[in-house]
Amino acid sequence: LFVPFDLGSSSLELRGEQPLQTLAASLVMRRRLRLSIVGAPDPLENAALAKHRLAVVQDWLLSQGIPDDSMEISSDHCSPEDEPGVLCQLLLDRDNPLRDYFLLAAQGEVPEKSGSQETQDFVRCLEEDFICVKHR
């Protein structure tokens, strides 16, 4: 999930808060999910600004009751596609039903036969707002 910021700014605007609300709701619904927060600065911006944006996102999530131990701040950076911001990646390694659902689906299992109804419902929500990427 991408949280956009204006070029040269670390102020969280409404358009950046909306994806964070989706992210916070996901983390509340599935407490075993973890989050990796990765900076995506514009090439014209400095490292201090990128680092401050990470802190802004982390502080916002903390203010919504997301536990600090469920978040990790990445020292890596990724390249923004259109605008600078922060990339928030949900990590499934501690949510076994959700992880297994995606692993089985990747192996060609019929999604309706993979996981509980609750897991399938949550997957549908995730697929509306997130891009699924398999990490090894």
Side-chain angles (χ1 to χ4, degrees), residues 23-110:
L23 182 62
S26 299
L27 290 165
V28 166
M29 287 189 282
R30 303 291 288 220
R31 289 287 185 181
R32 292 187 153 280
L33 289 174
R34 290 183 318 113
L35 176 66
S36 177
I37 304 171
V38 182
D42 186 272
L44 300 173
E45 297 174 327
N46 63 38
L49 177 61
K51 188 174 182 177
H52 190 254
R53 284 184 184 140
L54 295 173
V56 167
V57 168
Q58 183 180 31
D59 289 346
W60 190 93
L61 290 166
L62 288 169
S63 76
Q64 302 303 303
I66 305 304
D68 189 45
D69 65 352
S70 68
M71 294 182 262
E72 62 182 48
I73 303 293
S74 176
S75 59
D76 295 334
H77 291 308
C78 62
S79 298
E81 290 188 19
D82 296 323
E83 58 191 335
V86 172
L87 180 65
C88 298
Q89 301 170 317
L90 287 177
L91 306 176
L92 309 181
D93 58 328
R94 292 192 311 195
D95 189 323
N96 294 343
L98 200 55
R99 181 200 62 215
D100 292 348
Y101 178 94
F102 282 104
L103 288 174
L104 289 170
Q107 294 172 1
E109 292 282 331
V110 179

Side-chain angles (χ1 to χ4, degrees), residues 101-121:
Y101 178 94
F102 282 104
L103 288 174
L104 289 170
Q107 294 172 1
E109 292 282 331
V110 179
E112 291 79 29
K113 296 181 180 178
S114 303
S116 68
Q117 186 62 46
E118 178 187 348
T119 298
Q120 291 176 34
D121 292 343

